[in-house]
């Protein structure tokens, strides 16, 4: 192919470009509104792949773009291999954003055929970080897990102090224990922010809230370990999303 534009093209069946060479500018993306049709500015028109695209063995020109293209392909191993081919091709062109996009599509296509344990982990990876491309999802996961574990810790504190129900956590009630509430809040925040150097403070707060020994102290420690693990994973996923979105590569 010399110069080739597939803007607005809908590939209803498999698009087979195997072994082809693209010798000049090639665009599978969208029409960005800088052209007009009958005097009217054109809307974005994505190229749409309804089935698996085959680009195995292709040679791409450096001015090749899949930006905005829509892939409605079935999710299976064949699609994963096709996206892997495009990922490696974009890596050779140093097109980092395109490479990352095809990596994400490859992960999505592989998901249904993975063994149960790996499929479960892949699903969590997708939900919590959109395969390492969402800044919001890791923060939301950390916030939701913190609220849940904080409520469980609050129930343990109430049980340890002999308080029944949640009335001691309501600021307007006579039973409100301000000091114990602030201790509980500090304890939860230290859990949620994995910063080194706060271990001694956390141990002191844990002993004050849950005691040194017994089932309640043990349960609180297990919840603390779980919370720290979730926090570390969420911070890692947030950093990974920053790296991917700003196209930083090791």
């Amino acid at each position: 192919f010399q110069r080739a534009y597939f803007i607005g093209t809908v590939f209803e069946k498999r698009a087979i470009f195997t072994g082809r060479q693209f010798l000049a500018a090639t665009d599978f993306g969208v029409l960005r509104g800088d052209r007009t049709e009958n005097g009217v500015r054109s809307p974005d028109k994505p190229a749409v792949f309804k089935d698996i695209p085959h680009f195995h063995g292709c040679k791409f020109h450096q001015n090749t773009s899949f930006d905005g293209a829509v892939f409605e392909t079935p999710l299976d191993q064949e699609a994963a291999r096709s996206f892997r081919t495009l990922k490696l091709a974009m890596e050779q062109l140093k097109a980092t954003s395109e490479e990352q996009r095809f990596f994400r599509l490859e992960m999505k296509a592989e998901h249904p055929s993975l063994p149960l344990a790996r499929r479960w982990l892949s699903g969590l990876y997708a939900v919590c970080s959109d395969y390492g491309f969402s800044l919001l999802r890791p923060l939301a996961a950390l916030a939701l897990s913190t609220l849940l574990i904080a409520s469980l810790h609050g129930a343990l504190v109430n049980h340890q102090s002999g308080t029944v129900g949640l009335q001691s956590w309501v600021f307007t009630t006579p039973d409100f224990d301000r000091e114990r509430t602030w201790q509980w809040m500090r304890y939860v925040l230290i859990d949620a922010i994995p910063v080194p150097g706060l271990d001694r403070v956390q141990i002191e707060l844990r002993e004050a809230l849950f005691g040194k020994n017994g089932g309640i102290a043990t349960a609180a420690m297990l919840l603390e370990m779980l919370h720290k693990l979730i926090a570390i994973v969420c911070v890692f996923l947030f950093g990974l999303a920053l790296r991917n979105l700003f196209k930083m590569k090791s």
Side-chain angles (χ1 to χ4, degrees), residues 52-247:
I52 298 172
H54 287 266
F55 289 90
H56 306 296
C58 285
K59 180 180 179 180
F60 289 97
H61 188 266
Q62 61 184 8
N63 189 11
T64 299
S65 175
F66 286 88
D67 183 28
V70 177
F71 294 90
E72 300 177 358
T73 59
L75 302 180
D76 55 24
Q77 284 293 337
E78 185 181 358
R81 289 192 296 270
S82 294
F83 291 133
R84 188 180 306 123
T85 293
L86 287 167
K87 178 190 70 176
L88 294 173
M90 295 301 107
E91 181 182 5
Q92 292 178 352
L93 295 176
K94 306 300 181 183
T96 305
S97 59
E98 306 258 18
E99 175 193 348
Q100 292 169 344
R101 184 189 182 198
F102 286 118
F103 167 75
R104 182 167 38 177
L105 288 168
E106 178 190 354
M107 295 283 287
K108 290 179 179 179
E110 281 184 338
H111 176 80
S113 59
L114 292 174
L116 181 60
R118 290 181 59 192
R119 187 163 68 247
W120 184 75
L121 288 174
S122 175
L124 280 179
Y125 188 26
V127 170
C128 294
S129 71
D130 192 19
Y131 295 107
F133 286 87
S134 173
L135 293 172
L136 180 60
R137 291 189 187 187
L139 296 179
L142 179 58
L144 290 174
S145 62
T146 297
L147 288 174
L148 176 61
I149 295 177
S151 64
L152 294 175
H153 273 133
L156 291 175
V157 171
N158 276 343
H159 195 277
Q160 174 70 13
S161 63
T163 304
V164 179
L166 298 176
Q167 63 268 25
S168 62
W169 303 100
V170 181
F171 286 77
T172 57
T173 63
D175 296 329
F176 171 63
D177 188 332
R178 184 181 299 275
E179 180 62 27
R180 186 158 56 95
T181 300
W182 293 133
Q183 287 178 337
W184 163 73
M185 292 175 66
R186 289 172 61 198
Y187 177 77
V188 170
L189 286 175
I190 291 174
D191 261 358
I193 305 173
V195 178
L198 298 175
D199 294 342
R200 183 173 179 180
V201 175
Q202 191 165 31
I203 291 173
E204 293 175 354
L205 290 170
R206 187 197 309 139
E207 292 178 354
L209 290 169
F210 310 107
K212 293 184 178 181
N213 301 301
I216 292 179
T218 301
M221 183 177 295
L222 291 174
L223 282 174
E224 176 186 321
M225 293 169 62
L226 175 63
H227 196 187
K228 283 185 176 180
L229 176 62
I230 293 173
I232 290 171
V233 171
C234 289
V235 169
F236 170 79
L237 292 175
F238 181 81
L240 179 63
L242 279 177
R243 172 183 176 273
N244 289 332
L245 292 173
F246 287 98
K247 306 177 185 178

Side-chain angles (χ1 to χ4, degrees), residues 5-17 27-30 44-53 68-73:
Y5 293 98
F6 297 92
I7 296 168
T9 303
V10 178
F11 296 94
E12 294 287 352
K13 296 185 178 181
R14 298 189 178 191
I16 301 177
F17 290 91
D27 202 334
F28 289 91
V30 296
D44 287 359
K45 294 181 179 180
V48 179
F49 293 85
K50 297 282 189 178
D51 209 328
I52 298 172
V70 177
F71 294 90
E72 300 177 358
T73 59

